[in-house]
Amino acid sequence: MHHIKILIIDQSRISARQLYQMISRTGIAEEIRYIEEIDSFDRMIAEFKPGIIISDIFLRGGDGFSLAERFKTLNPTGKAIAISNFSSEFIQKKAFEYGFDYYFVKPIMDSVFNKRLIDIAEGIGSLPVSTENSISEILLQIGMAANLLGYNFSVKRSASSSLTQRR
């Protein structure tokens, strides 16, 4: 199992603590750090060099969109995970456009989040092209309820020629 550095950006200490506990249970993190203020983001990225960032979308003094965009510029192979209280299709689409690889709606299901995090850490983070992957399985893997009617799911080809989960 790969041990990676993970940075959590969330203005809620309670949410950050819950994420920290979930991540700790996976055993994949070499180190986990947390920041509340986006002002320290660039310095933390330069000093800490995380492989994964987990950011709320709406933050004091800015937003997670700009953080994901900056993170991907500084670390093109890094993974960015969005967490939000909002399940708006517009917000999710914007999150992926700005560089987030995954989007989770709070409250986050521990088992789904941990599985996805382990997949990312192991370099999987993508689905094989197969007709056996049902929409319900895909939705569960990205942390969404599988019983949503009218949910549109699409995949976007990544640079490594595998299909990555994008909404």
Side-chain angles (χ1 to χ4, degrees):
M1 174 107 26
H2 299 279
H3 293 280
I4 53 175
K5 294 179 179 181
I6 299 173
L7 177 63
I8 300 169
I9 307 100
D10 198 321
Q11 62 190 19
S12 166
R13 289 183 183 182
I14 294 170
S15 291
R17 188 174 336 185
Q18 290 170 338
L19 283 168
Y20 180 90
Q21 291 169 346
M22 280 192 287
I23 295 165
S24 295
R25 284 191 290 270
T26 66
I28 63 159
E30 174 183 325
E31 189 175 350
I32 305 166
R33 291 194 187 174
Y34 160 70
I35 58 173
E36 289 179 36
E37 304 296 328
I38 63 171
D39 296 341
S40 58
F41 180 77
D42 290 332
R43 180 185 52 77
M44 182 63 74
I45 295 298
E47 292 173 9
F48 182 53
K49 297 181 180 19
I52 297 175
I53 64 165
I54 302 170
S55 179
D56 198 339
I57 294 292
F58 300 104
L59 302 162
R60 278 189 292 276
D63 59 60
F65 302 127
S66 62
L67 297 183
E69 190 172 49
R70 289 190 342 236
F71 177 65
K72 291 295 188 155
T73 300
L74 297 169
N75 183 356
T77 61
K79 297 295 180 184
I81 300 172
I83 54 172
S84 179
N85 290 320
F86 300 95
S87 60
S88 159
E89 186 174 332
F90 174 77
I91 292 172
Q92 290 178 30
K93 182 179 177 192
K94 286 294 176 197
F96 291 124
E97 288 173 5
Y98 279 92
F100 281 105
D101 298 291
Y102 297 90
Y103 190 101
F104 285 89
V105 177
K106 296 178 187 178
I108 298 170
M109 293 173 41
D110 287 22
S111 61
V112 174
F113 182 80
N114 287 345
K115 168 126 180 45
R116 183 57 45 226
L117 201 56
I118 290 168
D119 287 349
I120 293 168
E122 291 178 345
I124 298 171
S126 62
L127 294 172
V129 180
S130 168
T131 56
E132 296 175 24
N133 288 321
S134 71
I135 295 298
S136 294
E137 288 175 310
I138 293 168
L139 291 173
L140 284 174
Q141 289 178 354
I142 63 170
M144 302 293 293
N147 60 354
L148 296 173
L149 295 176
Y151 186 86
N152 293 322
F153 181 82
S154 63
V155 292
K156 181 177 180 183
R157 189 157 300 277
S158 72
S160 65
S161 299
S162 62
L163 295 179
T164 54
Q165 298 172 21
R166 301 279 178 158
R167 178 154 157 35

mmCIF file of all heavy atoms in Angstrom, residues 33-54:
data_model
loop_
_atom_site.group_PDB
_atom_site.id
_atom_site.type_symbol
_atom_site.label_atom_id
_atom_site.label_comp_id
_atom_site.label_asym_id
_atom_site.label_seq_id
_atom_site.Cartn_x
_atom_site.Cartn_y
_atom_site.Cartn_z
ATOM 1 N N ARG A 33 -2.453 16.675 7.150
ATOM 2 C CA ARG A 33 -2.451 18.029 7.705
ATOM 3 C C ARG A 33 -3.765 18.711 7.361
ATOM 4 O O ARG A 33 -4.452 18.326 6.422
ATOM 5 C CB ARG A 33 -1.276 18.840 7.169
ATOM 6 C CG ARG A 33 0.053 18.338 7.681
ATOM 7 C CD ARG A 33 1.143 19.331 7.421
ATOM 8 N NE ARG A 33 2.438 18.768 7.767
ATOM 9 C CZ ARG A 33 3.583 19.377 7.529
ATOM 10 N NH1 ARG A 33 3.598 20.568 6.955
ATOM 11 N NH2 ARG A 33 4.728 18.807 7.867
ATOM 12 N N TYR A 34 -4.042 19.754 8.108
ATOM 13 C CA TYR A 34 -5.314 20.457 7.988
ATOM 14 C C TYR A 34 -5.076 21.964 8.027
ATOM 15 O O TYR A 34 -4.276 22.441 8.833
ATOM 16 C CB TYR A 34 -6.210 20.027 9.153
ATOM 17 C CG TYR A 34 -7.339 20.962 9.451
ATOM 18 C CD1 TYR A 34 -8.417 21.087 8.591
ATOM 19 C CD2 TYR A 34 -7.336 21.733 10.612
ATOM 20 C CE1 TYR A 34 -9.460 21.945 8.871
ATOM 21 C CE2 TYR A 34 -8.374 22.599 10.899
ATOM 22 C CZ TYR A 34 -9.434 22.700 10.031
ATOM 23 O OH TYR A 34 -10.462 23.560 10.302
ATOM 24 N N ILE A 35 -5.751 22.674 7.131
ATOM 25 C CA ILE A 35 -5.754 24.134 7.199
ATOM 26 C C ILE A 35 -7.189 24.625 7.067
ATOM 27 O O ILE A 35 -8.016 24.009 6.389
ATOM 28 C CB ILE A 35 -4.842 24.803 6.134
ATOM 29 C CG1 ILE A 35 -5.254 24.400 4.710
ATOM 30 C CG2 ILE A 35 -3.384 24.497 6.396
ATOM 31 C CD1 ILE A 35 -4.511 25.162 3.611
ATOM 32 N N GLU A 36 -7.463 25.748 7.732
ATOM 33 C CA GLU A 36 -8.787 26.383 7.659
ATOM 34 C C GLU A 36 -8.795 27.527 6.669
ATOM 35 O O GLU A 36 -9.775 27.765 5.991
ATOM 36 C CB GLU A 36 -9.179 26.966 9.029
ATOM 37 C CG GLU A 36 -9.503 25.973 10.076
ATOM 38 C CD GLU A 36 -9.847 26.668 11.379
ATOM 39 O OE1 GLU A 36 -10.473 27.740 11.366
ATOM 40 O OE2 GLU A 36 -9.470 26.118 12.422
ATOM 41 N N GLU A 37 -7.701 28.252 6.641
ATOM 42 C CA GLU A 37 -7.618 29.475 5.854
ATOM 43 C C GLU A 37 -6.913 29.216 4.528
ATOM 44 O O GLU A 37 -5.850 28.612 4.501
ATOM 45 C CB GLU A 37 -6.868 30.556 6.630
ATOM 46 C CG GLU A 37 -7.461 30.860 7.991
ATOM 47 C CD GLU A 37 -8.855 31.448 7.911
ATOM 48 O OE1 GLU A 37 -9.156 32.167 6.932
ATOM 49 O OE2 GLU A 37 -9.656 31.165 8.820
ATOM 50 N N ILE A 38 -7.487 29.720 3.462
ATOM 51 C CA ILE A 38 -6.877 29.484 2.165
ATOM 52 C C ILE A 38 -5.620 30.308 1.952
ATOM 53 O O ILE A 38 -4.845 30.036 1.048
ATOM 54 C CB ILE A 38 -7.874 29.696 1.006
ATOM 55 C CG1 ILE A 38 -8.348 31.139 0.951
ATOM 56 C CG2 ILE A 38 -9.043 28.754 1.137
ATOM 57 C CD1 ILE A 38 -9.158 31.451 -0.283
ATOM 58 N N ASP A 39 -5.403 31.308 2.814
ATOM 59 C CA ASP A 39 -4.196 32.137 2.695
ATOM 60 C C ASP A 39 -2.916 31.322 2.839
ATOM 61 O O ASP A 39 -1.889 31.672 2.274
ATOM 62 C CB ASP A 39 -4.202 33.244 3.751
ATOM 63 C CG ASP A 39 -5.353 34.221 3.567
ATOM 64 O OD1 ASP A 39 -5.923 34.271 2.455
ATOM 65 O OD2 ASP A 39 -5.680 34.935 4.531
ATOM 66 N N SER A 40 -2.971 30.229 3.588
ATOM 67 C CA SER A 40 -1.768 29.412 3.813
ATOM 68 C C SER A 40 -1.664 28.240 2.830
ATOM 69 O O SER A 40 -0.751 27.433 2.934
ATOM 70 C CB SER A 40 -1.749 28.902 5.253
ATOM 71 O OG SER A 40 -2.910 28.143 5.516
ATOM 72 N N PHE A 41 -2.563 28.170 1.854
ATOM 73 C CA PHE A 41 -2.609 27.030 0.934
ATOM 74 C C PHE A 41 -1.324 26.875 0.115
ATOM 75 O O PHE A 41 -0.716 25.803 0.107
ATOM 76 C CB PHE A 41 -3.820 27.146 0.003
ATOM 77 C CG PHE A 41 -3.940 26.011 -0.980
ATOM 78 C CD1 PHE A 41 -4.411 24.777 -0.579
ATOM 79 C CD2 PHE A 41 -3.579 26.186 -2.308
ATOM 80 C CE1 PHE A 41 -4.526 23.730 -1.468
ATOM 81 C CE2 PHE A 41 -3.693 25.142 -3.215
ATOM 82 C CZ PHE A 41 -4.169 23.914 -2.794
ATOM 83 N N ASP A 42 -0.910 27.917 -0.577
ATOM 84 C CA ASP A 42 0.274 27.829 -1.444
ATOM 85 C C ASP A 42 1.533 27.452 -0.652
ATOM 86 O O ASP A 42 2.319 26.615 -1.087
ATOM 87 C CB ASP A 42 0.504 29.139 -2.206
ATOM 88 C CG ASP A 42 -0.552 29.378 -3.275
ATOM 89 O OD1 ASP A 42 -1.101 28.391 -3.800
ATOM 90 O OD2 ASP A 42 -0.836 30.551 -3.569
ATOM 91 N N ARG A 43 1.701 28.068 0.518
ATOM 92 C CA ARG A 43 2.849 27.754 1.365
ATOM 93 C C ARG A 43 2.796 26.289 1.806
ATOM 94 O O ARG A 43 3.795 25.579 1.750
ATOM 95 C CB ARG A 43 2.881 28.671 2.587
ATOM 96 C CG ARG A 43 4.059 28.410 3.521
ATOM 97 C CD ARG A 43 4.000 29.246 4.784
ATOM 98 N NE ARG A 43 2.745 29.181 5.515
ATOM 99 C CZ ARG A 43 2.383 28.150 6.304
ATOM 100 N NH1 ARG A 43 3.170 27.110 6.427
ATOM 101 N NH2 ARG A 43 1.233 28.175 6.939
ATOM 102 N N MET A 44 1.612 25.824 2.193
ATOM 103 C CA MET A 44 1.464 24.439 2.644
ATOM 104 C C MET A 44 1.735 23.455 1.503
ATOM 105 O O MET A 44 2.388 22.432 1.705
ATOM 106 C CB MET A 44 0.061 24.211 3.208
ATOM 107 C CG MET A 44 -0.163 22.810 3.740
ATOM 108 S SD MET A 44 0.883 22.368 5.139
ATOM 109 C CE MET A 44 0.113 23.297 6.429
ATOM 110 N N ILE A 45 1.279 23.756 0.305
ATOM 111 C CA ILE A 45 1.532 22.888 -0.846
ATOM 112 C C ILE A 45 3.033 22.812 -1.119
ATOM 113 O O ILE A 45 3.586 21.738 -1.350
ATOM 114 C CB ILE A 45 0.774 23.384 -2.104
ATOM 115 C CG1 ILE A 45 -0.732 23.290 -1.898
ATOM 116 C CG2 ILE A 45 1.196 22.597 -3.345
ATOM 117 C CD1 ILE A 45 -1.283 21.908 -1.659
ATOM 118 N N ALA A 46 3.706 23.959 -1.068
ATOM 119 C CA ALA A 46 5.152 23.998 -1.344
ATOM 120 C C ALA A 46 5.952 23.255 -0.272
ATOM 121 O O ALA A 46 6.879 22.513 -0.595
ATOM 122 C CB ALA A 46 5.619 25.446 -1.443
ATOM 123 N N GLU A 47 5.589 23.423 0.990
ATOM 124 C CA GLU A 47 6.342 22.799 2.087
ATOM 125 C C GLU A 47 5.969 21.330 2.303
ATOM 126 O O GLU A 47 6.837 20.483 2.476
ATOM 127 C CB GLU A 47 6.100 23.569 3.392
ATOM 128 C CG GLU A 47 6.692 24.951 3.397
ATOM 129 C CD GLU A 47 6.291 25.749 4.634
ATOM 130 O OE1 GLU A 47 5.687 25.179 5.571
ATOM 131 O OE2 GLU A 47 6.584 26.956 4.661
ATOM 132 N N PHE A 48 4.688 21.040 2.313
ATOM 133 C CA PHE A 48 4.190 19.713 2.663
ATOM 134 C C PHE A 48 4.183 18.749 1.478
ATOM 135 O O PHE A 48 4.393 17.560 1.615
ATOM 136 C CB PHE A 48 2.789 19.854 3.272
ATOM 137 C CG PHE A 48 2.150 18.591 3.741
ATOM 138 C CD1 PHE A 48 2.793 17.731 4.612
ATOM 139 C CD2 PHE A 48 0.863 18.266 3.330
ATOM 140 C CE1 PHE A 48 2.183 16.574 5.062
ATOM 141 C CE2 PHE A 48 0.242 17.114 3.772
ATOM 142 C CZ PHE A 48 0.904 16.263 4.642
ATOM 143 N N LYS A 49 3.920 19.260 0.293
ATOM 144 C CA LYS A 49 3.872 18.479 -0.950
ATOM 145 C C LYS A 49 2.904 17.288 -0.865
ATOM 146 O O LYS A 49 3.289 16.135 -1.029
ATOM 147 C CB LYS A 49 5.258 18.000 -1.334
ATOM 148 C CG LYS A 49 6.231 19.126 -1.625
ATOM 149 C CD LYS A 49 7.585 18.604 -2.027
ATOM 150 C CE LYS A 49 8.609 19.625 -2.323
ATOM 151 N NZ LYS A 49 8.511 20.957 -1.889
ATOM 152 N N PRO A 50 1.604 17.578 -0.660
ATOM 153 C CA PRO A 50 0.628 16.485 -0.571
ATOM 154 C C PRO A 50 0.369 15.834 -1.924
ATOM 155 O O PRO A 50 0.473 16.483 -2.968
ATOM 156 C CB PRO A 50 -0.634 17.179 -0.055
ATOM 157 C CG PRO A 50 -0.508 18.581 -0.560
ATOM 158 C CD PRO A 50 0.970 18.883 -0.523
ATOM 159 N N GLY A 51 0.039 14.560 -1.896
ATOM 160 C CA GLY A 51 -0.359 13.857 -3.105
ATOM 161 C C GLY A 51 -1.850 13.983 -3.346
ATOM 162 O O GLY A 51 -2.327 13.845 -4.468
ATOM 163 N N ILE A 52 -2.592 14.250 -2.274
ATOM 164 C CA ILE A 52 -4.048 14.399 -2.350
ATOM 165 C C ILE A 52 -4.454 15.607 -1.519
ATOM 166 O O ILE A 52 -3.965 15.788 -0.399
ATOM 167 C CB ILE A 52 -4.774 13.151 -1.801
ATOM 168 C CG1 ILE A 52 -4.462 11.910 -2.647
ATOM 169 C CG2 ILE A 52 -6.288 13.382 -1.744
ATOM 170 C CD1 ILE A 52 -5.048 10.624 -2.083
ATOM 171 N N ILE A 53 -5.351 16.419 -2.082
ATOM 172 C CA ILE A 53 -6.004 17.441 -1.274
ATOM 173 C C ILE A 53 -7.479 17.088 -1.198
ATOM 174 O O ILE A 53 -8.058 16.554 -2.147
ATOM 175 C CB ILE A 53 -5.817 18.886 -1.807
ATOM 176 C CG1 ILE A 53 -6.471 19.074 -3.175
ATOM 177 C CG2 ILE A 53 -4.348 19.274 -1.809
ATOM 178 C CD1 ILE A 53 -6.635 20.530 -3.590
ATOM 179 N N ILE A 54 -8.061 17.374 -0.048
ATOM 180 C CA ILE A 54 -9.493 17.191 0.166
ATOM 181 C C ILE A 54 -10.007 18.542 0.624
ATOM 182 O O ILE A 54 -9.630 19.024 1.686
ATOM 183 C CB ILE A 54 -9.769 16.111 1.227
ATOM 184 C CG1 ILE A 54 -9.143 14.785 0.793
ATOM 185 C CG2 ILE A 54 -11.276 15.974 1.445
ATOM 186 C CD1 ILE A 54 -9.154 13.716 1.879
#
